[in-house]
Amino acid sequence: QLPYRELLQSAAGIGHLNTTEGFPSELPLLFDANGRAVPAFGLEVLRVFAGVDRSEVRLDDREVSLPASPGVITVPMNGDGTTSLNFPGPLSSFRHYSCVEVLRSFSSDTASLSALKGKTVFVSVIGVGRGNFVRTPFDAQFPAVGLHATLIDNALEGRFLKRVSPFAGEVHIPLFLSCILILLVHRFGNARGGVSGVLLGILYVASAQLWFV
């Protein structure tokens, strides 16, 4: 549901906070609200930060492009309309301040906020029981607003995740592992090489589960 008309007309931009259930790294870039395409909050903040007019935003079946200065900012888009976030780490990867620190900065030098000049700042309630959290590979309770900070980080640094094609996953990886197994057997013999190959397979499956599931 869209905000009331006065807020909608006076805001520099409007974005949605929807996430993909069970897959927080797959962030929906666009959401239909009564026939109006509403971008993800982070994408809209990025557009405003880059000084790009809505009419200049370009969208195709592979990416969203923002013709900013000095170059074009691109956000890759998957076939289902999501983008794959590449988390830089836990919440501590982002510079963050509590509300108390911000208030104290006006009366003392204990928390200087000068570093925020020219930066994109998200204001959100992230207290346990008061905010929304998601699970990421680095943080069991990552504030949902951090998904949009991650989107901006990935867009400005050009480090979104890329999906591996089904062909690569079903053919290239098994073929690569099979070649390694053959080399191990040739180098160490059937017994030791076979055991090493099994351990390598277990390590691969465990790593994939730990880092990507």
Side-chain angles (χ1 to χ4, degrees):
Q1 183 178 358
L2 296 175
Y4 56 87
R5 186 179 59 184
E6 290 77 9
L7 178 58
L8 189 62
Q9 293 176 344
S10 60
I14 178 175
H16 73 78
L17 297 175
N18 294 49
T19 59
T20 303
E21 184 69 26
F23 298 92
S25 62
E26 304 297 312
L27 189 67
L29 289 178
L30 296 171
F31 182 78
D32 183 271
N34 300 324
R36 172 174 175 168
V38 179
F41 181 63
L43 180 60
E44 184 70 347
V45 171
L46 180 64
R47 180 192 68 79
V48 174
F49 175 76
V52 177
D53 188 79
R54 290 189 183 92
S55 62
E56 298 177 319
V57 178
R58 296 292 178 263
L59 171 67
D60 59 33
D61 59 350
R62 294 183 300 175
E63 64 184 21
V64 177
S65 302
L66 305 176
S69 178
V72 177
I73 300 174
T74 59
V75 178
M77 185 169 63
N78 303 317
D80 57 2
T82 65
T83 191
S84 300
L85 301 178
N86 184 9
F87 296 100
L91 178 61
S92 58
S93 300
F94 297 97
R95 180 172 297 175
H96 57 284
Y97 300 91
S98 68
C99 179
V100 174
E101 288 179 293
V102 174
L103 294 176
R104 285 178 177 173
S105 68
F106 291 98
S107 59
S108 67
D109 296 328
T110 57
S112 175
L113 303 183
S114 59
L116 300 181
K117 185 177 181 180
K119 306 294 184 180
T120 301
V121 179
F122 287 89
V123 180
S124 175
V125 177
I126 60 173
V128 177
R130 296 179 178 271
N132 295 324
F133 295 86
V134 297
R135 186 181 185 87
T136 74
F138 302 99
D139 206 327
Q141 284 195 312
F142 188 74
V145 68
L147 298 178
H148 300 276
T150 300
L151 187 153
I152 293 179
D153 167 82
N154 289 179
L156 296 180
E157 299 296 331
R159 55 182 175 189
F160 285 96
L161 287 179
K162 295 182 179 179
R163 290 184 175 181
V164 177
S165 67
F167 180 78
E170 297 175 5
V171 178
H172 287 175
I173 294 178
L175 182 61
F176 176 72
L177 293 177
S178 297
C179 290
I180 293 180
L181 177 59
I182 293 174
L183 292 175
L184 289 173
V185 171
H186 178 73
R187 176 67 175 81
F188 299 106
N190 293 336
R192 293 175 60 190
V195 172
S196 299
V198 171
L199 293 176
L200 178 64
I202 294 175
L203 178 62
Y204 168 76
V205 173
S207 300
Q209 292 293 318
L210 177 64
W211 292 105
F212 301 107
V213 176

